[in-house]
Amino acid sequence: MGSKLKQISLVFVGVLAGVLLSLNFSAVAQREAARFPLPVDELRAFAEVFGAIKSGYVEPVDDKKLISGAINGMLTDLDPHSAYLDADAFRELQVGTQGEFGGLGIEVGMEDGFVKVVSPIEDTPAFRAGLKPGDLIIKLDDTPVKGMNLNDAVKRMRGKPKTTVRLTILRKGEKGEPTKPFEVTLQRDVIRVQSVKSKLIEPGYGWIRVSQFQEHTGENLVKHLEALYKKEPLKGLILDLRNDPGGLLNGAVGISAAFLPPKSLVVSTDGRTEDAKRKFVASPDDYLRGSKEDYLKGLPAGVRTVPMVVLVNGGSASASEIVAGALQDHKRATIMGTQTFGKGSVQTILPLGNNTAIKLTTARYYTPSGRSIQAKGITPDIMVEDPSGQPRIREADLEKHLTNGDEKAAAQKKEAERAAAAAAKPATTGGDEKPPAPIEFASPGDFQFLQAMNHLKGLPVQTALAPNPAARPKN
């Protein structure tokens, strides 16, 4: 038995080495293999485990399943965002950037073996049900999530429109303690994400919301700006990026370019390879994909000078943090709200040639002044309380998150914020309470939005909601 396993492992080491050098990125692998020789002892151990499973596991196991699991394990052990994308996951990723897919409408990650809500997507079943960032999904129907990988959990949540799925949710209380789980039954729907919305709040003041950065977000932003300026020139503009989980990098560059002078630095990236060291500027070369016409050509002239407030919160991540950081560093807008999520890493999609791919973290993002977004986020110029009162999950809370080089200071700041929040608010008992209805953005009940309007008009800004309802601001 032992000699047979040894023979299998020696053959498998050779086969595995060949496979590693024959993927789509073989040229890169060959260069790296020359610089860093393959760890033969570790590969032999891996092959011995493979051989032991093939010959001795209680049931036969498909080779493809074992290899896919090994690849997935390698990637998920790196950081929360690197992952193996099987054919279904790869297809869903491509479809999602187009703005339409089936499911519940939740941006999710994994923590402690559970699915964690990063952000519900606006106007979806999850958003309307009151799911909040930081919620842990511990059961899907009657099946515990513990032990599933993220791809399997996402597949279970997606399905045909009009079918239902029951989620068991664990939500933390004010002091971070877990409360009693509760159930929410959601009806799946075709998720059509309208990535840009706008309205004229009152004469001279406009509001534009970007809920996700998709392939056509830049063009849609321009259409909404043109519609606002057709009504009348603006004296003030609110760009609302709250609960925007991010999306495509070129979309973030395009949105930033709409408000910045041409050729302004928007974001830079830095990683180990030359391809990962990039600067992205407000130029069609960096925000257009393919040979499309420059959609910023017909932008109303006043857009680049109108006074602006950018609203952010703990659900603003990745591409939305790039935009907020660029407009803040160039002093083009006042950033208002609460600390952002802190997802400042670049994921590169590397297709493997068999309709699968890997999503690999290859670089960190930096704002124009050189600040790292990773695990820190963007600190608003004016901190304004999020009246939802829910604890927020951030990048720095995720296991195995990529550091930014100043982790100790970031951890101390986060602990201070938690202590201040706990001292300011009474503890809740949790229990069987159902999630409250979400606040409608840009409504009379939207405290942060009202403060943004006050700032644009030169009126006093309240940083915290008054405890007495009679003293709270009215629109």
Side-chain angles (χ1 to χ4, degrees):
M1 178 71 174
S3 61
K4 185 177 180 182
L5 281 179
K6 187 174 182 181
Q7 289 175 352
I8 293 173
S9 67
L10 289 173
V11 171
F12 190 69
V13 168
V15 172
L16 182 62
V19 169
L20 289 172
L21 296 176
S22 63
L23 295 174
N24 272 13
F25 44 95
S26 59
V28 175
Q30 287 171 355
R31 289 200 303 270
E32 293 303 302
R35 293 173 56 199
F36 306 105
L38 290 170
V40 176
D41 289 342
E42 287 76 10
L43 287 174
R44 182 179 291 112
F46 175 75
E48 288 174 356
V49 172
F50 181 90
I53 294 171
K54 287 296 292 180
S55 63
Y57 187 66
V58 64
E59 295 176 349
V61 186
D62 181 63
D63 289 351
K64 182 178 178 182
K65 177 180 174 67
L66 282 176
I67 298 299
S68 295
I71 296 172
N72 188 57
M74 276 194 291
L75 290 159
T76 55
D77 196 53
L78 296 174
D79 65 74
H81 307 294
S82 294
Y84 172 65
L85 305 176
D86 62 17
D88 290 339
F90 190 25
R91 182 170 57 252
E92 287 171 2
L93 175 71
Q94 294 167 316
V95 170
T97 62
Q98 302 298 318
E100 181 174 319
F101 54 93
L104 304 177
I106 325 173
E107 185 83 11
V108 295
M110 291 293 286
E111 184 169 295
D112 296 330
F114 297 117
V115 174
K116 176 158 273 187
V117 177
V118 173
S119 183
I121 300 171
E122 202 169 334
D123 294 333
T124 64
F127 182 83
R128 291 189 289 269
L131 267 64
K132 294 185 175 295
D135 284 348
L136 285 177
I137 301 172
I138 60 176
K139 271 188 182 182
L140 296 169
D141 291 321
D142 294 321
T143 305
V145 169
K146 198 81 168 178
M148 289 186 195
N149 63 44
L150 187 58
N151 285 342
D152 289 340
V154 169
K155 285 178 186 177
R156 284 177 176 266
M157 286 188 282
R158 293 194 173 181
K160 292 182 179 179
K162 307 302 181 186
T163 60
T164 61
V165 60
R166 189 173 72 257
L167 309 183
T168 303
I169 304 293
L170 185 64
R171 177 173 293 168
K172 292 181 180 179
E174 294 290 345
K175 294 184 177 180
E177 76 285 357
T179 60
K180 186 176 179 180
F182 59 88
E183 292 184 353
V184 179
T185 299
L186 302 180
Q187 187 178 78
R188 296 181 179 93
D189 201 354
V190 175
I191 308 300
R192 295 183 180 91
V193 180
Q194 184 181 346
S195 65
V196 183
K197 297 179 180 179
S198 68
K199 62 180 176 180
L200 192 66
I201 303 301
E202 58 183 69
Y205 294 92
W207 170 83
I208 285 191
R209 167 150 181 77
V210 179
S211 60
Q212 197 172 356
F213 289 83
Q214 302 168 352
E215 187 148 348
H216 301 291
T217 297
E219 296 101 306
N220 291 334
L221 176 90
V222 171
K223 290 176 184 176
H224 281 267
L225 285 169
E226 288 173 342
L228 287 173
Y229 271 85
K230 277 182 182 177
K231 295 174 182 177
E232 61 179 290
L234 296 182
K235 296 183 289 186
L237 178 66
I238 297 172
L239 176 61
D240 197 338
L241 301 178
R242 290 174 294 175
N243 289 355
D244 181 334
L248 298 176
L249 173 59
N250 68 296
V253 176
I255 298 295
S256 302
F259 303 107
L260 294 173
K263 304 294 184 182
S264 298
L265 178 62
V266 174
V267 66
S268 61
T269 63
D270 189 26
R272 295 173 62 201
T273 67
E274 287 304 312
D275 289 344
K277 303 176 190 297
R278 287 284 312 273
K279 292 184 185 294
F280 296 88
V281 301
S283 163
D285 291 340
D286 285 343
Y287 59 75
L288 293 182
R289 297 182 68 166
S291 57
K292 293 186 295 188
E293 185 180 352
D294 183 4
Y295 53 77
L296 294 184
K297 267 187 179 179
L299 201 64
V303 169
R304 289 196 167 97
T305 56
V306 63
M308 285 182 65
V309 169
V310 178
L311 283 174
V312 296
N313 64 7
S316 306
S318 192
S320 53
E321 295 176 287
I322 290 172
V323 174
L327 298 184
Q328 185 179 55
D329 280 4
H330 287 291
K331 303 188 185 308
R332 174 62 188 88
T334 299
I335 313 301
M336 184 180 290
T338 57
Q339 193 80 12
T340 62
F341 183 79
K343 198 271 186 182
S345 59
V346 183
Q347 279 70 50
T348 301
I349 306 299
L350 301 172
L352 302 184
N354 55 349
N355 296 322
T356 66
I358 63 172
K359 183 170 66 168
L360 185 67
T361 299
T362 55
R364 291 178 175 88
Y365 286 123
Y366 295 87
T367 70
S369 66
R371 293 179 294 155
S372 171
I373 297 171
Q374 177 59 24
K376 275 187 172 181
I378 300 297
T379 302
D381 300 306
I382 303 176
M383 297 288 287
V384 175
E385 176 188 7
D386 182 352
S388 69
Q390 289 296 324
R392 286 277 188 179
I393 179 71
R394 291 194 171 93
E395 176 79 8
D397 299 316
L398 301 179
E399 289 185 2
K400 297 184 175 69
H401 68 271
L402 192 68
T403 65
N404 67 3
D406 193 16
E407 198 74 352
K408 184 177 179 181
Q412 290 173 342
K413 182 174 181 179
K414 184 175 69 172
E415 187 56 39
E417 287 176 351
R418 284 177 176 169
K425 296 183 180 180
T428 58
T429 57
D432 297 320
E433 63 186 48
K434 293 293 182 182
I439 295 173
E440 181 185 350
F441 287 145
S443 71
D446 184 348
F447 177 70
Q448 292 175 321
F449 162 76
L450 295 178
Q451 303 317 305
M453 286 291 291
N454 285 345
H455 181 74
L456 288 173
K457 294 177 179 180
L459 300 174
V461 172
Q462 287 184 294
T463 58
L465 196 64
N468 179 8
R472 294 177 185 176
K474 303 279 191 304
N475 192 13

